Amino acid sequence: MAHYDLAIIGSGSGNSLITEFWDDKKVAIIDSGVFGGTCLNVGCIPTKMFVYPAQLAQSAAEAKRLGVDLDFSGANWPEIRDRIFGRIDAISEAGKNYRAHELENVTLYTEHVSFVSPNELRTASGQSITAERIVVATGSRATLPDAPGIDLPGVHTSDSIMRLDALPKSLVILGGGYIASEFAAVFSALGSEVIQVNRSGALMRKQDADITAAFTQAAAKRWGVELNANLRGITKQGDGLHLEFARGSESLVLEADTVLVATGRRPNTDALGVSGLGFDMREDGSLIVDEYQRILASGTPVPGLFGMGDAANTEQLKHVANREARVVSHNLENPLAMRPMDRRAVPAAVFSIPQIACVGLSEEQARAEHGEDAVLSVIQDFGSTAYGWAMEDGEGIVKLVAHKESGLLLGAHIMGHEAALLIQPLIQAMVTGLDVSTMAREQFWIHPALSEVVENALLGLGVPARGDDPL
Ligand SMILES: Cc1cc2nc3c(=O)[nH]c(=O)nc-3n(C[C@H](O)[C@H](O)[C@H](O)COP(=O)(O)OP(=O)(O)OC[C@H]3O[C@@H](n4cnc5c(N)ncnc54)[C@H](O)[C@@H]3O)c2cc1C
Ligand SMILES: NC(=O)c1ccc[n+]([C@@H]2O[C@H](COP(=O)([O-])OP(=O)(O)OC[C@H]3O[C@@H](n4cnc5c(N)ncnc54)[C@H](O)[C@@H]3O)[C@@H](O)[C@H]2O)c1
């Protein structure tokens, strides 16, 4: 039996917990998968490294509108893929070697582990690991619909689709959320014939309703979109895959050489042996933690146990996992002066084409929470600003939701060029409690930058200026 001061399950965000504080203490880090976790190997980083060249490819079509003759003559898939993974695989390998060989106090286990008791883990090969403190940072994995043929060769998840030998000629993508919408943009821009199929009547349904509607329309201009279609099954036919969906009383039949399933992710807590330990869990399988990220059992913190990342939150976002890691790190090192996780204004961005970025409440949520008459909202088109004219943009929107009396922002929702960048000052305003009138009027907004659309949206909310506000 090996005993440690700290055992961390998961080398994604969990890897950052091994600070200098632990130099004179014993640490175990355990990961049965690829070292570095989801974001580095199969998530945020490689997907966005595909999105950027896809945007370049897509710009050829947009340039035509502006009188510029750019021809997209094809994408060299193996070159794009190998550039991305050439960089990423080396980072993962270097991280693994560092943990395995270069730190005397750290032991790397590359096996699956599960809990035996709250302070003891057992590896798949039967080794016992006990620790004073254990952090569960086990992430999440793709879920697959229960349909015949879902495990056929040619049917992929986000884990394998980025390593294909060749760009698919035709790709059916199942799902209407983040992963489906990002990959639909990537593959269609690079030259695959893409059809995105969603079970419900719109794409990106968890967004504010105006963004959902605008994105569904924008996507359908760029790639095939089929809605209200429920997968019945997949069969192999010749060299391709044959997909059958139920749509009301009708059938929808699609053929493709490749299928991507992007129908959600579930926390990796089911194979962790926690069910017998009485830990509090949500219905989706994530661990419930308190504000200090301590794992709870019947509402009470289990001594020495912390949870973080996709295994213990509902957002499933890397910037949330990173912040939680900082909180866990502090609380492990300062048990008598723990600090809480701040979950105000958690933003998210969907790096599709067009991009979406959001923070805070949708209009519907704001009206339900604060009362129908207490809420102001506005939609400002990118096309109403000079930079929007320069882009000949007919699609981008900024939607803001604010509290009438206090003038504070309740939510911001942007679809269009660089939405993830445009939203950042609005996130800052929400976190610092800056009211919309002050935000709009007390700073200069650079002319004619696209950020003027944010300025105009803030002014368009109609919050009256106070007497001493700048003109
Ligand atoms: C395709 C895709 C794109 C994404 N893009 C973005 C994005 O643009 N922006 C964003 O904010 N988020 C994005 N995300 C989400 C983001 O990747 C995750 O929220 C984040 O990586 C979660 O980190 P984590 O530390 O919780 O888990 P992970 O990084 O998944 O680490 C968990 C590790 O634990 C290991 N493990 C699990 N169970 C066990 C066990 N029992 N024993 C041993 N080891 C175990 C796993 O092998 C894994 O390596 C994306 C996700 C995907 C799939
Ligand atoms: N840019 C980013 O920040 C980013 C990018 C990718 C992933 N992520 C994270 O990863 C998570 C998982 O991504 P995702 O796209 O898999 O999930 P998601 O929750 O965003 O979307 C899942 C989609 O699958 C559909 N669906 C669910 N079950 C289905 C079924 N049985 N049959 C058909 N359709 C079904 C849902 O209606 C939904 O449209 C996201 O929620 C997000 O937190 C973030």
Side-chain angles (χ1 to χ4, degrees):
M1 182 192 292
H3 186 72
Y4 295 89
D5 294 292
L6 170 66
I8 303 159
I9 320 173
S11 68
S13 318
N15 189 36
S16 66
L17 301 176
I18 310 176
T19 60
E20 285 174 4
F21 174 88
W22 301 96
D23 280 356
D24 58 352
K25 302 173 187 70
K26 283 183 70 184
V27 177
I29 182 157
I30 307 148
D31 201 311
S32 53
V34 185
F35 192 88
T38 302
C39 177
L40 174 67
N41 294 295
V42 288
C44 337
I45 295 178
T47 50
K48 271 79 251 183
M49 289 175 83
F50 278 101
V51 166
Y52 191 78
Q55 282 171 342
L56 291 180
Q58 170 77 23
S59 66
E62 291 178 12
K64 290 225 165 30
R65 233 188 21 237
L66 305 177
V68 178
D69 237 345
L70 280 185
D71 267 334
F72 170 64
S73 54
N76 185 334
W77 172 264
E79 196 177 310
I80 297 174
R81 181 199 58 202
D82 293 349
R83 179 186 75 84
I84 293 169
F85 290 109
R87 187 178 270 226
I88 283 172
D89 292 349
I91 296 171
S92 167
E93 198 53 34
K96 181 177 176 183
N97 286 335
Y98 182 64
R99 290 299 182 222
H101 306 301
E102 289 181 33
L103 294 173
E104 261 177 34
N105 64 318
V106 177
T107 306
L108 172 67
Y109 291 83
T110 54
E111 290 185 70
H112 182 90
V113 287
S114 48
F115 277 90
V116 176
S117 71
N119 63 357
E120 183 178 0
L121 305 169
R122 175 144 320 131
T123 71
S125 66
Q127 297 181 73
S128 170
I129 297 171
T130 56
E132 299 299 313
R133 280 148 286 191
I134 298 179
V135 179
V136 178
T138 51
S140 62
R141 64 177 188 279
T143 55
L144 302 176
D146 184 18
I150 203 75
D151 51 357
L152 279 171
V155 180
H156 294 265
T157 66
S158 52
D159 286 350
S160 54
I161 193 84
M162 290 182 271
R163 303 238 182 197
L164 290 176
D165 290 335
L167 188 70
K169 280 199 175 54
S170 51
L171 174 67
V172 167
I173 300 181
L174 306 181
Y178 281 73
I179 295 179
S181 302
E182 289 184 353
F183 278 117
V186 165
F187 282 102
S188 66
L190 295 181
S192 299
E193 200 174 296
V194 172
I195 301 182
Q196 183 178 1
V197 187
N198 200 20
R199 213 170 36 167
S200 59
L203 304 179
M204 296 306 313
R205 278 188 60 219
K206 290 181 194 157
Q207 300 288 325
D208 178 275
D210 287 308
I211 299 288
T212 298
F215 182 79
T216 304
Q217 205 179 22
K221 281 193 212 152
R222 292 176 170 86
W223 57 85
V225 173
E226 296 285 354
L227 301 171
N228 300 309
N230 220 332
L231 183 67
R232 278 202 188 117
I234 309 175
T235 49
K236 177 126 185 77
Q237 286 196 3
D239 284 344
L241 295 163
H242 174 97
L243 297 97
E244 212 178 310
F245 298 85
R247 183 148 63 184
S249 54
E250 316 264 290
S251 277
L252 168 72
V253 171
L254 298 173
E255 313 279 344
D257 56 59
T258 309
V259 172
L260 168 64
V261 184
T263 51
R265 292 175 66 81
R266 67 142 296 146
N268 287 322
T269 52
D270 45 347
L272 205 55
V274 292
S275 56
L277 299 180
F279 296 167
D280 297 340
M281 322 258 301
R282 295 184 192 87
E283 222 169 90
D284 68 359
S286 57
L287 291 163
I288 298 178
V289 293
D290 68 3
E291 70 269 39
Y292 303 109
Q293 297 296 135
R294 293 178 299 186
I295 291 174
L296 300 176
S298 305
T300 306
V302 186
L305 288 197
F306 290 80
M308 50 173 271
D310 288 8
N313 65 40
T314 53
E315 289 95 354
Q316 299 191 341
L317 294 168
K318 181 61 174 171
H319 43 270
V320 177
N322 285 345
R323 172 79 73 94
E324 290 174 346
R326 295 206 294 274
V327 171
V328 171
S329 189
H330 174 90
N331 292 345
L332 283 167
E333 296 174 17
N334 301 279
L336 300 178
M338 290 201 291
R339 286 174 57 181
M341 173 72 188
D342 180 353
R343 292 184 189 276
R344 282 173 304 152
V346 175
V350 187
F351 295 84
S352 186
I353 304 177
Q355 264 183 27
I356 297 173
C358 62
V359 60
L361 302 179
S362 67
E363 182 174 354
E364 196 185 357
Q365 288 168 334
R367 291 195 190 281
E369 201 169 297
H370 294 275
E372 193 59 37
D373 299 332
V375 170
L376 296 168
S377 77
V378 70
I379 295 181
Q380 188 78 32
D381 294 338
F382 282 27
S384 68
T385 62
Y387 202 87
W389 306 345
M391 293 172 66
E392 202 56 47
D393 190 284
E395 190 168 81
I397 51 172
V398 173
K399 176 167 183 181
L400 300 183
V401 183
H403 191 258
K404 204 188 256 178
E405 205 176 301
S406 65
L408 292 175
L409 269 179
L410 299 173
H413 310 272
I414 305 183
M415 185 192 82
H417 185 67
E418 298 293 10
L421 294 179
L422 282 178
I423 204 163
Q424 197 65 44
L426 296 162
I427 300 167
Q428 192 172 4
M430 286 182 70
V431 171
T432 56
L434 185 65
D435 67 276
V436 298
S437 178
T438 308
M439 186 183 182
R441 295 170 203 274
E442 283 204 7
Q443 62 183 318
F444 286 94
W445 292 80
I446 292 171
H447 179 73
L450 186 52
S451 49
E452 283 185 330
V453 67
V454 174
E455 178 194 14
N456 290 346
L458 288 165
L459 292 170
L461 276 165
V463 174
R466 290 153 309 199
D468 56 351
D469 275 346
L471 295 169

